[in-house]
Amino acid sequence: MKITLGLSSLGLAILLAMAGCGKKMGLPSESPLSKWGAGDTTYVRINPPWDRNHPYRHNFQDPRDVIVGRDGHIWVADSLFIWKLDRAGQILNRYLVPGLQDIKAIAQSPTGQIYAVRGDSIVYLLDGTFFLTHRKARYTGVAVDDENWIYLADSGRQMLLKFSADDPSQSDTLATYGTGGGTVDLPRGITTDISLNVYFVQEGGSFHVQKMRPSATGYLPDVYFGLQGDSLKQFMAPQDVAVDADGYIYVADTGNHRIQKFSPYGGLKIAFGDSGSAGEQFIFPEGIAVDENLILYIADTGNDRVERYQLSTEIDIPEEP
């Protein structure tokens, strides 16, 4: 495993397959499996990982996204199902919507609605209906803010869009094609924070990770960084981004089989992982989420599992500019 510290730390019918019903299983014991970090900066990999060997039998098939839902549950999207889990990994439901496979990203609204995209021209709902569709669109990322606005990454038309969940005719374009900060080129994962800032990652362009802030005249570029490559603070086809309550940014650096964490200003805090199936290894991880306790949930796509890491403590290191 490579560990590096930086200077700063989906009207269709629904088939609902219930899992975890009948006799209820006891909770498996969880314990730290291993640690990575240095000094007082320590992340702990939580044992056991959520995979087919777990007592709850998480038979994920290419999980591509994981989110911490507004309902407090963990939601996972793989090539066949959308899974609903509790925080201990107990499978509460599996949702199979015919025609909706190979989901790339999901999000949950304040009202509990699940939105899903799969790289085509439709934004799907979990109840089997469509939220919207556009023939030229290729939606690759979705997020919902606290005010129930839907944010979409559209790699077909090369733009970031914003729609009212209550009235999709109300919309706004946040960014269009380009190579600099505040522009998009093959956008992928997208998320928002409590201040309505928008974060996204992309495969093209000069800056693979970007943050945009709302203003009276629209969204403006705020923080942007990351060239293509395999060095620190570089990326190969990043697919997802998450942000915690303090503004720290987590990126699924998919092509480099690793996770990178940055300060709110883009300073590298830590990078970890390399290619493989052992502990602290990933194979093309495509999804990442962080909860209120700073637990990381990682969709380790190529290994058919979801990994979790607990932040123990973090020392106060001067931020990288």
Side-chain angles (χ1 to χ4, degrees):
M1 177 193 67
K2 298 177 181 177
I3 305 171
T4 310
L5 286 175
L7 294 178
S8 61
S9 327
L10 195 236
L12 296 176
I14 297 179
L15 298 178
L16 173 62
M18 299 292 296
C21 55
K23 183 178 179 180
K24 188 172 183 178
M25 300 174 62
L27 296 178
S29 60
E30 296 187 351
S31 61
L33 181 61
S34 57
K35 299 180 179 180
W36 49 263
D40 293 327
T41 305
T42 303
Y43 276 81
V44 180
R45 180 176 183 250
I46 300 175
N47 180 46
W50 292 350
D51 61 14
R52 67 192 61 203
N53 297 315
H54 189 281
Y56 292 149
R57 302 289 181 89
H58 304 96
N59 293 316
F60 298 130
Q61 298 184 48
D62 299 325
R64 290 187 172 136
D65 198 15
V66 56
I67 64 169
V68 179
R70 294 174 181 270
D71 57 6
H73 297 118
I74 307 302
W75 294 77
V76 179
D78 71 5
S79 62
L80 293 175
F81 300 100
I82 295 177
W83 304 65
K84 180 181 180 181
L85 315 173
D86 67 17
R87 295 294 180 100
Q90 176 93 351
I91 301 170
L92 304 177
N93 284 315
R94 290 191 309 175
Y95 300 87
L96 173 62
V97 181
L100 181 55
Q101 299 173 344
D102 297 322
I103 302 164
K104 291 186 176 294
I106 55 176
Q108 188 175 43
S109 74
T111 62
Q113 181 66 266
I114 293 290
Y115 298 84
V117 297
R118 49 168 293 182
D120 63 11
S121 62
I122 300 171
V123 179
Y124 301 84
L125 301 179
L126 196 59
D127 64 6
T129 61
F130 300 160
F131 172 66
L132 61 81
T133 181
H134 191 289
R135 65 182 182 86
K136 293 184 178 180
R138 295 295 179 266
Y139 298 119
T140 50
V142 60
V144 189
D145 69 19
D146 291 341
E147 298 181 358
N148 213 23
W149 284 81
I150 316 301
Y151 298 78
L152 295 169
D154 181 352
S155 64
R157 294 178 289 172
Q158 297 280 41
M159 57 180 62
L160 299 184
L161 302 161
K162 177 181 176 181
F163 294 86
S164 167
D166 301 316
D167 180 6
S169 67
Q170 297 184 40
S171 64
D172 191 12
T173 299
L174 310 187
T176 57
Y177 175 77
T179 58
T183 66
V184 301
D185 187 359
L186 299 179
R188 296 297 185 249
I190 187 170
T191 192
T192 65
D193 64 19
I194 59 174
S195 298
L196 305 184
N197 297 305
V198 175
Y199 305 74
F200 67 97
V201 292
Q202 59 184 10
E203 292 192 23
S206 299
F207 305 104
H208 289 281
V209 182
Q210 298 196 36
K211 172 187 175 184
M212 301 182 68
R213 58 180 174 83
S215 75
T217 58
Y219 276 77
L220 301 176
D222 190 28
V223 177
Y224 42 94
F225 58 91
L227 301 176
Q228 180 172 305
D230 58 9
S231 298
L232 295 178
K233 209 174 177 179
Q234 294 184 341
F235 306 91
M236 291 293 292
Q239 297 297 299
D240 203 12
V241 60
V243 60
D244 67 27
D246 292 322
Y248 286 88
I249 303 166
Y250 306 79
V251 179
D253 186 6
T254 308
N256 285 321
H257 314 283
R258 68 184 179 189
I259 304 300
Q260 297 197 64
K261 175 183 177 180
F262 300 90
S263 77
Y265 312 104
L268 179 67
K269 294 286 285 185
I270 194 167
F272 67 96
D274 55 18
S275 180
S277 299
E280 301 91 32
Q281 292 185 327
F282 310 102
I283 297 180
F284 298 112
E286 293 191 21
I288 189 167
V290 58
D291 71 11
E292 68 278 6
N293 297 312
L294 301 183
I295 295 176
L296 293 180
Y297 300 81
I298 302 164
D300 188 4
T301 309
N303 282 317
D304 295 328
R305 66 190 181 189
V306 171
E307 290 275 15
R308 297 167 297 156
Y309 287 86
Q310 172 71 64
L311 175 63
S312 179
T313 57
E314 189 167 38
I315 58 176
D316 185 12
I317 297 175
E319 304 289 353
E320 176 186 317

